[in-house]
Amino acid sequence: MTDALSEETLKRMMLRSLDGDEGAYRHLLQALRGLLLAYYRRRLALGARSDLEDLVQDTLLALHARRDTYDRTRPFTAWFFSIARYKLVDHFRRGGGRMLVDLDETLEAASGEDALTARIDVERLLDGLPPRQRELLRRVKLDGESIAEAAGRAGQTETAARVGIHRSLKALARKLRGET
Amino acid sequence: MSNPDDLIESLVRDLKPMPAHALERRMAALVLPALGLSLLVMLVFFGFRVDMAHALSLPVFWIKSAYNALLAILAFVAIRRLSRPDGDAGGIFAGFGLVVAAMAIVAGIQLAVSPTESYRVLIVGGSALHCPFLILGFALPVLYANFSLLRKSAPVDLRLAGFVAGLAAGAAGAWVYSWFCTENGMPFVLLWYSLGILLVGLIGALAGPRLLRW
């Protein structure tokens, strides 16, 4: 999924769409439709599933009509999910007093979205590292293993693992600062 | 339109190449004519201040003009950000704070070097009561333009977007008004001009959630 619908892919399709490429736009809308269905399905209460299709279509229409508010220099997914979230909140507001999800679910849903974009970003960053370092970093920083455990699995001494992780983090920091 | 593929196809058919900076162009196309209309109304029905030739050589005239222009520029920059769904207010309130604080310093200096008898003229002048409302009047065309812009954009915080749209219109209206207004008191500008700008801002904040939904 991170492969097919990464920030990079979606943004590339959006930029081509803005230049008038109909094929790219068709692909983009189909991909976004899938993302919206998943996004809203998780957030609408069971009884409100009939609203799902309306909400998805309304959001696609809105992002089409307001696509000049996308700043080509900024991340596409942030723009897209902001519209999706606005349309969801607006949908609840229009529902009057009937709040269709409880707060816990909304909070969980919000972190789900962050988790999606964060995962896309982290995976892309890690992809730039050599396989051994990537594996080590993933085990220690993402999966929460101790350095000793991870070193054991990788067949390294703990010191070597520490140095490796330190170097990887420095490399990532350089990358984030745009130095590479 | 019930079939999702029909919708996507109709959107694809409607696709036209989007020029770079389309949002900024739309902003300019709405705001500049509105500002022009305000200026025209001011010139035709009010005219430049009666002592214009003399005023042009007064630092206080240009400080008054710059105060309103700076606030307007800050607010328009913020509108541009807030019209995007992933945008925020940026540094507008810090910027406003700095400009108002600078004006307060200038006002303090002017009071410090002026005789006490002139305080009434410098603070209340002769137009304090109608100044904020004339600013509101000159702000209306720009307020309309700002709301038209935002209605076709994608603001997500409607109250904040409305407030900033009002501040921008208020500051632009105040700048237009400053060509007619004969007050030279910096405390006057700090008080009554700011009050007029804030008034338009509050109207925008009230109208935002009602008029800007999309």
Side-chain angles (χ1 to χ4, degrees):
Chain A
M1 161 160 192
T2 54
D3 228 35
L5 293 179
S6 66
E7 158 69 27
E8 239 164 282
T9 319
L10 292 170
K11 180 166 180 170
R12 195 163 45 236
M13 284 198 276
M14 179 63 174
L15 292 181
R16 281 166 56 182
S17 305
L18 289 176
D19 290 336
D21 182 334
E22 296 189 359
Y25 196 43
R26 188 175 294 113
H27 276 120
L28 177 69
L29 290 175
Q30 279 157 357
L32 297 183
R33 189 185 141 70
L35 282 176
L36 287 172
L37 279 169
Y39 179 83
Y40 288 140
R41 190 175 287 128
R42 263 182 291 149
R43 288 160 177 80
L44 289 175
L46 278 174
R49 286 289 149 81
S50 55
D51 298 340
L52 181 63
E53 190 59 44
D54 282 351
L55 196 50
V56 169
Q57 298 213 4
D58 189 29
T59 308
L60 289 176
L61 276 167
L63 76 86
H64 174 78
R66 293 155 210 278
R67 62 191 188 282
D68 74 349
T69 63
Y70 174 62
D71 179 343
R72 292 169 208 236
T73 61
R74 293 180 56 157
F76 172 76
T77 40
W79 179 79
F80 168 69
F81 278 118
S82 301
I83 291 179
R85 197 179 317 121
Y86 174 83
K87 280 293 173 187
L88 182 71
V89 172
D90 191 60
H91 173 76
F92 290 145
R93 216 183 276 134
R94 279 174 208 277
R98 294 181 301 121
M99 194 65 177
L100 297 174
V101 291
D102 62 8
L103 189 60
D104 282 350
E105 200 181 330
T106 316
L107 290 174
E108 186 193 318
S111 61
E113 171 202 328
D114 288 346
L116 171 70
T117 44
R119 203 182 62 219
I120 291 175
D121 292 344
V122 170
E123 293 294 334
R124 201 177 56 219
L125 267 178
L126 288 180
D127 277 347
L129 293 172
R132 260 169 86 101
Q133 292 191 4
R134 191 194 315 161
E135 194 53 33
L136 208 56
L137 203 61
R138 198 195 304 274
R139 284 186 189 285
V140 174
K141 294 297 176 187
L142 299 183
D143 301 341
E145 286 184 15
S146 73
I147 293 182
E149 278 174 323
R153 280 179 204 266
Q156 290 183 336
T157 65
E158 196 181 324
T159 315
R162 273 183 200 284
V163 173
I165 289 170
H166 181 67
R167 283 190 184 147
S168 313
L169 288 176
K170 276 179 79 172
L172 289 183
R174 271 200 303 277
K175 198 167 165 182
L176 283 173
R177 286 194 300 264
E179 290 173 16
T180 49
Chain B
M1 202 63 80
S2 61
N3 184 341
D5 288 335
D6 288 353
L7 173 75
I8 289 184
E9 277 315 308
S10 73
L11 296 185
V12 169
R13 269 198 303 280
D14 187 50
L15 184 70
K16 286 175 228 42
M18 188 68 73
H21 307 297
L23 180 69
E24 288 79 1
R25 287 169 195 229
R26 193 152 58 82
M27 193 165 173
L30 281 164
V31 171
L32 293 180
L35 188 62
L37 177 65
S38 273
L39 278 168
L40 196 68
V41 168
M42 184 274 295
L43 282 174
V44 171
F45 294 99
F46 293 78
F48 284 124
R49 56 187 287 177
V50 285
D51 57 346
M52 194 67 210
H54 170 64
L56 288 176
S57 66
L58 295 177
V60 287
F61 171 78
W62 293 109
I63 293 173
K64 179 164 71 167
S65 187
Y67 177 69
N68 298 308
L70 273 175
L71 292 181
I73 289 166
L74 285 170
F76 277 113
V77 168
I79 290 183
R80 176 167 163 255
R81 297 176 68 106
L82 287 167
S83 61
R84 304 184 195 278
D86 52 341
D88 53 26
I92 184 191
F93 296 112
F96 263 55
L98 279 176
V99 174
V100 174
M103 194 62 190
I105 293 171
V106 174
I109 292 172
Q110 193 188 29
L111 286 178
V113 299
S114 304
T116 321
E117 304 86 80
S118 66
Y119 278 14
R120 199 186 147 74
V121 172
L122 291 178
I123 297 172
V124 187
S127 59
L129 286 181
H130 57 252
C131 162
F133 299 103
L134 281 172
I135 285 176
L136 169 62
F138 286 117
L140 286 179
V142 183
L143 187 64
Y144 178 80
N146 290 347
F147 268 70
S148 305
L149 172 82
L150 287 169
R151 278 174 67 85
K152 290 265 168 74
S153 305
V156 292
D157 189 337
L158 306 186
R159 192 172 296 283
L160 179 63
F163 183 49
V164 173
L167 291 179
W175 180 78
V176 170
Y177 177 63
S178 72
W179 293 91
F180 161 73
C181 156
T182 49
E183 304 286 352
N184 289 328
M186 296 291 100
F188 180 94
V189 174
L190 179 68
L191 238 79
W192 305 105
Y193 271 63
S194 306
L195 197 67
I197 295 169
L198 189 64
L199 175 69
V200 190
L202 291 178
I203 291 172
L206 281 177
R210 286 163 189 80
L211 297 182
L212 296 180
R213 283 172 80 168
W214 50 283

Short mmCIF file of all heavy atoms in Angstrom, two decimals, chain A residues 98-118:
data_model
loop_
_atom_site.label_atom_id
_atom_site.label_comp_id
_atom_site.label_asym_id
_atom_site.label_seq_id
_atom_site.Cartn_x
_atom_site.Cartn_y
_atom_site.Cartn_z
N ARG A 98 -27.38 14.89 16.24
CA ARG A 98 -26.98 13.49 16.20
C ARG A 98 -25.49 13.38 15.93
O ARG A 98 -25.04 13.45 14.80
CB ARG A 98 -27.74 12.75 15.10
CG ARG A 98 -29.24 12.66 15.35
CD ARG A 98 -29.91 11.89 14.23
NE ARG A 98 -29.70 12.51 12.94
CZ ARG A 98 -29.11 11.90 11.90
NH1 ARG A 98 -28.67 10.68 12.01
NH2 ARG A 98 -28.98 12.53 10.76
N MET A 99 -24.71 13.23 16.97
CA MET A 99 -23.28 13.00 16.78
C MET A 99 -23.12 11.50 16.52
O MET A 99 -23.55 10.67 17.30
CB MET A 99 -22.52 13.41 18.05
CG MET A 99 -21.04 13.52 17.86
SD MET A 99 -20.59 14.83 16.71
CE MET A 99 -18.81 14.72 16.80
N LEU A 100 -22.54 11.17 15.38
CA LEU A 100 -22.62 9.78 14.96
C LEU A 100 -21.46 8.92 15.46
O LEU A 100 -21.52 7.72 15.45
CB LEU A 100 -22.69 9.71 13.43
CG LEU A 100 -23.95 10.37 12.88
CD1 LEU A 100 -23.92 10.42 11.37
CD2 LEU A 100 -25.19 9.65 13.35
N VAL A 101 -20.38 9.55 15.89
CA VAL A 101 -19.32 8.74 16.49
C VAL A 101 -19.03 9.32 17.86
O VAL A 101 -19.29 10.49 18.12
CB VAL A 101 -18.01 8.79 15.67
CG1 VAL A 101 -18.17 8.08 14.36
CG2 VAL A 101 -17.55 10.20 15.49
N ASP A 102 -18.54 8.53 18.75
CA ASP A 102 -18.17 9.10 20.04
C ASP A 102 -16.74 9.60 19.97
O ASP A 102 -16.01 9.36 19.01
CB ASP A 102 -18.38 8.09 21.18
CG ASP A 102 -17.51 6.86 21.01
OD1 ASP A 102 -16.66 6.87 20.09
OD2 ASP A 102 -17.68 5.91 21.76
N LEU A 103 -16.36 10.32 20.99
CA LEU A 103 -15.09 11.02 20.96
C LEU A 103 -13.91 10.06 20.83
O LEU A 103 -12.96 10.31 20.09
CB LEU A 103 -14.95 11.87 22.23
CG LEU A 103 -13.76 12.82 22.25
CD1 LEU A 103 -13.88 13.79 21.10
CD2 LEU A 103 -13.72 13.57 23.56
N ASP A 104 -14.00 8.95 21.55
CA ASP A 104 -12.90 7.99 21.51
C ASP A 104 -12.60 7.56 20.09
O ASP A 104 -11.46 7.49 19.67
CB ASP A 104 -13.26 6.74 22.33
CG ASP A 104 -13.09 7.00 23.81
OD1 ASP A 104 -12.52 8.06 24.12
OD2 ASP A 104 -13.53 6.18 24.62
N GLU A 105 -13.69 7.31 19.34
CA GLU A 105 -13.48 6.82 17.99
C GLU A 105 -12.86 7.90 17.11
O GLU A 105 -12.03 7.63 16.26
CB GLU A 105 -14.82 6.36 17.40
CG GLU A 105 -14.63 5.42 16.23
CD GLU A 105 -15.97 4.99 15.65
OE1 GLU A 105 -16.94 4.92 16.42
OE2 GLU A 105 -16.02 4.73 14.45
N THR A 106 -13.28 9.16 17.36
CA THR A 106 -12.71 10.25 16.57
C THR A 106 -11.23 10.40 16.84
O THR A 106 -10.42 10.59 15.93
CB THR A 106 -13.43 11.57 16.89
OG1 THR A 106 -14.82 11.32 16.93
CG2 THR A 106 -13.12 12.62 15.85
N LEU A 107 -10.88 10.31 18.13
CA LEU A 107 -9.47 10.45 18.49
C LEU A 107 -8.65 9.33 17.85
O LEU A 107 -7.59 9.55 17.27
CB LEU A 107 -9.31 10.42 20.01
CG LEU A 107 -9.84 11.66 20.72
CD1 LEU A 107 -9.76 11.48 22.23
CD2 LEU A 107 -9.05 12.88 20.28
N GLU A 108 -9.21 8.14 17.95
CA GLU A 108 -8.52 6.99 17.39
C GLU A 108 -8.37 7.16 15.89
O GLU A 108 -7.33 6.90 15.30
CB GLU A 108 -9.34 5.74 17.71
CG GLU A 108 -8.70 4.44 17.33
CD GLU A 108 -9.74 3.33 17.39
OE1 GLU A 108 -10.53 3.33 18.35
OE2 GLU A 108 -9.78 2.50 16.48
N ALA A 109 -9.45 7.66 15.28
CA ALA A 109 -9.44 7.85 13.83
C ALA A 109 -8.38 8.88 13.44
O ALA A 109 -7.65 8.70 12.48
CB ALA A 109 -10.82 8.31 13.37
N ALA A 110 -8.29 9.96 14.23
CA ALA A 110 -7.32 11.00 13.90
C ALA A 110 -5.91 10.43 13.96
O ALA A 110 -5.07 10.71 13.12
CB ALA A 110 -7.47 12.17 14.86
N SER A 111 -5.66 9.61 14.98
CA SER A 111 -4.31 9.07 15.08
C SER A 111 -4.08 8.06 13.96
O SER A 111 -2.97 7.87 13.50
CB SER A 111 -4.09 8.42 16.45
OG SER A 111 -5.00 7.36 16.62
N GLY A 112 -5.16 7.42 13.49
CA GLY A 112 -5.02 6.50 12.36
C GLY A 112 -4.52 7.20 11.12
O GLY A 112 -3.64 6.70 10.42
N GLU A 113 -5.06 8.39 10.90
CA GLU A 113 -4.64 9.15 9.73
C GLU A 113 -3.18 9.58 9.86
O GLU A 113 -2.38 9.46 8.95
CB GLU A 113 -5.53 10.37 9.57
CG GLU A 113 -5.07 11.33 8.53
CD GLU A 113 -5.66 12.69 8.79
OE1 GLU A 113 -6.80 12.76 9.30
OE2 GLU A 113 -4.99 13.67 8.49
N ASP A 114 -2.84 10.09 11.07
CA ASP A 114 -1.46 10.48 11.31
C ASP A 114 -0.54 9.29 11.11
O ASP A 114 0.54 9.40 10.54
CB ASP A 114 -1.29 11.01 12.73
CG ASP A 114 -1.92 12.37 12.88
OD1 ASP A 114 -2.23 12.97 11.83
OD2 ASP A 114 -2.11 12.82 14.01
N ALA A 115 -1.01 8.14 11.63
CA ALA A 115 -0.18 6.95 11.53
C ALA A 115 0.06 6.60 10.07
O ALA A 115 1.17 6.23 9.69
CB ALA A 115 -0.85 5.78 12.25
N LEU A 116 -0.98 6.75 9.23
CA LEU A 116 -0.82 6.42 7.81
C LEU A 116 0.24 7.31 7.17
O LEU A 116 1.19 6.82 6.55
CB LEU A 116 -2.16 6.59 7.07
CG LEU A 116 -2.05 6.48 5.55
CD1 LEU A 116 -1.76 5.05 5.13
CD2 LEU A 116 -3.31 6.98 4.86
N THR A 117 0.10 8.62 7.35
CA THR A 117 1.06 9.51 6.70
C THR A 117 2.44 9.37 7.33
O THR A 117 3.44 9.41 6.64
CB THR A 117 0.59 10.97 6.77
OG1 THR A 117 0.11 11.22 8.08
CG2 THR A 117 -0.50 11.24 5.77
N ALA A 118 2.46 9.16 8.66
CA ALA A 118 3.76 9.02 9.32
C ALA A 118 4.46 7.76 8.81
O ALA A 118 5.66 7.76 8.55
CB ALA A 118 3.58 8.93 10.84
#
